[in-house]
Amino acid sequence: MKLSLTLIILSFGIQTAFCQDDILDMSTPSSPASKILDLSPSTVLTPKSYKALETTLFSNFTGNSGNIVPNDFSLDFMPYWVKDRGLSLENYLRAGFNDQFFQNLSISVASTQDYLLGNNEPSDAIAFGIRSSWFMGNEDDVKDINSYMNSFDQTSFAILNITTEALSIITNNKANSKSEFIAELTPRIEAEIEKRYHPKEAQNIIDKIIKAAWDKLSKDYSSDKNNYDTIIDEIVQETLGIQETYTKFEDYIEERPGWYLDIGFATLINFPESNFESLTSPKQSLWITPSYQFKKDLKFLKALGVFRYESYNLDFYKEYFPDSTVYQDNRDFGLSVSGSFENLSIEFEAVRRFSKTETLDEPDNQGNQEYSGTKREDYQFLGTLNYKINENILLSYSLGDRFPNLLYGNENTLISLLTLNFGFGGPTKNSINSL
Amino acid sequence: MGKTYKYKNLEFPVGDSEKVNFTVEFISNGNDAQTVVNVPGDLDPEIEDEGTEFIGLGKHLRDSITVVGSNLYNPLPLKKEDTIEVDYKINGKVIQKHKNDKNVEKRPTVYLLINFPEK
């Protein structure tokens, strides 16, 4: 307890001393619109139909206050999933390039009435974003998916053949006692298990199911027979271990080994004078992040690359952020590697930023047009070490050097952050950003 | 173990010599399914995901209640699909629609207990 308190205090002290902002998120944001607004909304609305989308937009973008830009608003809409297409899981997992684009396409909208200008005055701002992603299939993945699907089919058909037979015995009054019920069901159990399992393990499985049936079914068949099918279902599912297969499969599809590509784009629209005439688009961002999830013995490793392009409207920033230095074009190139080893995870990332602005000068004596440019290069690197003390407590330390925040003139770039997290999840880039 | 949905007392009148086909049709997206139709005899028709299987002539199905069992599974993220919806059909006509919220169960088992009285 004493140690915990010390760490919390230490964490708070360091966070206060090295207040951070603008740490680059390596991955393409889940909501590009919220990201470009630097908005961390309390709720993200995810309408599942065009009608729900219409209702959401109508109820949020109209109001009695006269302000049509809602505050703290974030919406994420995936048009492909609006329609019931009867798409099977197998076809979803084997979707081609074009299908994946539409299946993973999301459109995001975010807005705030509190977008701070250079003089700290709040203004209305709205952002629109688009994002999609791809998983690049590979032969091993096809084999693994086939293996899981085949396992579902074999196990599930075995369970259903036994349980429907059990239900049929009960419903059609083919037994009058527990022993008659088990005797009637046994040939089906034997047939199904022998058909689908190796002879070496089949007899063991059959014995286990029948023994469990004798142990768990109540003696009083006439009054308890309506529970018999449920108990048989539980026994067979547990003996065949179908739940473990589903859990392994879900873990697998969450991080399928292979190449991924995420792309996102967002544009920001600001109303600095709180009227439509002042509408301007100060900033656009594009994210392209390829990543690779290693397989088999190296599946604890993931590598991620990033290309981010940001374009700033200099006229806007000169007028509303007169004291800041903003570059017109900013290109970030980076690489991140992360690894998880039981209770320990390590992540290291490095990003290089190239910024430049080209301005049009007065023509020379011969009328030739001339440009002058300013350039800047920055680096960011960050190492993070997480240690899971137990299921609910995570100790995390980050050390590195971030980009300077040119917009708000913050040249303090050191990151040294120790956190002790209680509850679910560990520190994220967002939690660091919000400090 | 997933939640079980049991639909009892379903009826589908058929003629003695009428061929009976059973169909599973996905309505919502991202489903995986295995379905078994327990008919008289040792060989029960099985349907992997969607499809149609011949389950017998009307006169052979009349003497007992036919039990259909269907394991459904939908691991898609909720933001993509939040519902499991499947139609069960006999000779092209819906005998039972099943629909459940994935927040309630993403791996339900559905049982249909069907009578085939004379037409």
Side-chain angles (χ1 to χ4, degrees):
Chain A
M1 189 64 192
K2 200 173 176 181
L3 174 68
S4 301
L5 280 173
T6 309
L7 289 169
I8 294 165
I9 292 164
L10 182 60
S11 163
F12 180 76
I14 292 170
Q15 288 173 25
T16 308
F18 301 104
C19 187
Q20 312 296 333
D21 47 23
D22 199 28
I23 290 179
L24 174 66
D25 280 329
M26 292 287 286
S27 53
T28 301
S30 57
S31 169
S34 295
K35 181 63 189 169
I36 202 169
L37 266 183
D38 285 329
L39 191 68
S40 299
S42 47
T43 309
V44 178
L45 303 169
T46 54
K48 296 281 194 307
S49 67
Y50 285 114
K51 194 172 180 182
L53 174 67
E54 193 180 312
T55 306
T56 305
L57 291 174
F58 185 77
S59 60
N60 281 282
F61 279 83
T62 55
N64 297 328
S65 64
N67 195 329
I68 58 159
V69 176
N71 197 27
D72 191 32
F73 173 80
S74 179
L75 176 145
D76 195 6
F77 182 64
M78 301 189 82
Y80 181 90
W81 301 97
V82 163
K83 191 178 168 187
D84 282 333
R85 300 164 193 270
L87 175 75
S88 71
L89 175 62
E90 191 170 357
N91 288 337
Y92 166 77
L93 293 170
R94 291 180 178 155
F97 193 85
N98 289 345
D99 286 339
Q100 282 196 60
F101 171 76
F102 289 110
Q103 286 171 7
N104 296 325
L105 177 69
S106 70
I107 296 163
S108 55
V109 182
S111 68
T112 179
Q113 295 169 6
D114 202 22
Y115 188 77
L116 292 182
L117 302 175
N119 57 4
N120 275 334
E121 281 293 314
S123 66
D124 294 341
I126 184 166
F128 299 93
I130 188 169
R131 179 200 164 138
S132 192
S133 60
W134 293 265
F135 170 71
M136 311 298 175
N138 55 70
E139 277 183 22
D140 286 347
D141 180 70
V142 172
K143 280 181 197 164
D144 288 337
I145 294 289
N146 281 344
S147 167
Y148 279 113
M149 291 290 180
N150 190 43
S151 178
F152 292 159
D153 288 344
Q154 291 305 311
T155 316
S156 203
F157 279 133
I159 292 166
L160 287 169
N161 270 289
I162 294 167
T163 54
T164 53
E165 182 68 13
L167 201 48
S168 179
I169 293 167
I170 298 160
T171 313
N172 292 304
N173 300 314
K174 295 178 194 168
N176 294 308
S177 65
K178 175 180 170 179
S179 56
E180 280 184 27
F181 173 81
I182 294 175
E184 191 75 24
L185 186 60
T186 298
R188 180 56 66 98
I189 296 171
E190 290 172 342
E192 281 305 315
I193 302 301
E194 282 168 2
K195 187 164 73 179
R196 299 174 199 275
Y197 290 85
H198 193 276
K200 279 185 182 171
E201 58 176 343
Q203 194 53 52
N204 187 31
I205 295 171
I206 293 165
D207 292 345
K208 271 188 184 172
I209 294 171
I210 292 172
K211 184 180 181 308
W214 279 108
D215 291 346
K216 292 186 179 176
L217 294 173
S218 77
K219 286 179 185 172
D220 190 354
Y221 179 77
S222 55
S223 58
D224 291 335
K225 66 179 181 182
N226 289 334
N227 296 325
Y228 268 39
D229 61 297
T230 309
I231 295 167
I232 291 294
D233 194 14
E234 281 173 9
I235 291 169
V236 182
Q237 288 207 32
E238 195 181 322
T239 310
L240 300 185
I242 194 165
Q243 182 56 48
E244 288 78 13
T245 311
Y246 284 117
T247 305
K248 278 183 190 169
F249 175 69
E250 282 170 28
D251 289 346
Y252 177 82
I253 57 172
E254 200 167 302
E255 290 185 337
R256 292 165 80 179
W259 282 101
Y260 292 81
L261 179 65
D262 288 67
I263 293 182
F265 173 78
T267 185
L268 170 65
I269 290 169
N270 186 229
F271 302 88
E273 308 292 339
S274 294
N275 58 44
F276 201 78
E277 288 71 32
S278 66
L279 180 152
T280 184
S281 177
K283 182 181 172 185
Q284 282 88 38
S285 289
L286 169 73
W287 295 263
I288 300 175
T289 50
S291 59
Y292 187 76
Q293 173 66 51
F294 288 83
K295 58 185 83 168
K296 292 179 181 168
D297 294 342
L298 291 173
K299 70 178 181 183
F300 60 89
L301 272 181
K302 184 170 187 178
L304 186 128
V306 65
F307 168 72
R308 182 168 79 160
Y309 173 72
E310 284 189 333
S311 169
Y312 287 83
N313 177 344
L314 293 187
D315 292 339
F316 171 86
Y317 286 96
K318 274 178 192 162
E319 186 168 355
Y320 295 102
F321 291 81
D323 298 329
S324 66
T325 308
V326 174
Y327 290 84
Q328 193 172 17
D329 295 318
N330 299 274
R331 291 174 173 81
D332 296 329
F333 298 91
L335 187 68
S336 157
V337 179
S338 60
S340 303
F341 320 87
E342 295 186 352
N343 291 342
L344 188 71
S345 70
I346 299 170
E347 183 178 348
F348 180 78
E349 63 181 58
V351 188
R352 190 172 184 185
R353 173 173 288 174
F354 299 89
S355 305
K356 69 172 183 179
T357 296
E358 280 188 349
T359 48
L360 192 63
D361 294 337
E362 291 294 317
D364 65 12
N365 293 339
Q366 277 118 27
N368 296 320
Q369 195 64 65
E370 291 187 351
Y371 293 87
S372 61
T374 49
K375 291 183 180 178
R376 179 179 171 126
E377 286 185 32
D378 290 301
Y379 298 89
Q380 173 172 285
F381 63 88
L382 184 70
T384 302
L385 187 72
N386 296 309
Y387 181 72
K388 191 164 77 173
I389 297 170
N390 63 35
E391 281 305 310
N392 296 316
I393 305 177
L394 185 81
L395 180 66
S396 177
Y397 180 66
S398 297
L399 178 66
D401 202 30
R402 66 180 171 85
F403 293 134
N405 189 325
L406 301 178
L407 196 58
Y408 294 99
N410 185 354
E411 293 281 346
N412 183 0
T413 60
L414 177 66
I415 299 167
S416 178
L417 183 67
L418 179 67
T419 53
L420 189 63
N421 294 271
F422 295 91
F424 300 101
T428 63
K429 295 286 174 50
N430 284 340
S431 64
I432 297 173
N433 269 335
S434 65
L435 296 173
Chain B
M1 192 178 137
K3 193 174 165 64
T4 297
Y5 297 82
K6 226 176 253 181
Y7 299 97
K8 298 177 179 176
N9 302 323
L10 303 175
E11 274 196 0
F12 193 87
V14 286
D16 276 352
S17 55
E18 190 175 343
K19 287 180 178 175
V20 181
N21 291 303
F22 188 86
T23 301
V24 178
E25 187 177 313
F26 291 161
I27 303 300
S28 63
N29 301 308
N31 296 311
D32 179 69
Q34 297 82 28
T35 302
V36 169
V37 185
N38 187 289
V39 292
D42 289 337
L43 280 178
D44 289 342
E46 295 176 349
I47 299 171
E48 186 185 328
D49 281 342
E50 297 180 289
T52 299
E53 281 290 326
F54 171 67
I55 63 171
L57 295 175
K59 61 185 173 191
H60 296 138
L61 300 170
R62 216 174 299 296
D63 295 338
S64 59
I65 293 168
T66 299
V67 179
V68 177
S70 191
N71 275 342
L72 308 176
Y73 175 50
N74 193 316
L76 262 61
L78 288 173
K79 66 179 184 178
K80 289 184 173 174
E81 184 56 79
D82 57 5
T83 307
I84 293 177
E85 188 173 357
V86 175
D87 279 357
Y88 297 99
K89 294 178 175 178
I90 294 175
N91 289 351
K93 291 178 184 164
V94 176
I95 184 140
Q96 185 64 52
K97 276 181 159 307
H98 172 76
K99 186 174 182 178
N100 76 269
D101 195 324
K102 280 172 58 183
N103 275 322
V104 175
E105 183 57 66
K106 67 176 177 183
R107 197 166 73 76
T109 301
V110 175
Y111 290 109
L112 313 179
L113 276 62
I114 312 167
N115 279 302
F116 289 95
E118 209 163 337
K119 205 179 232 179

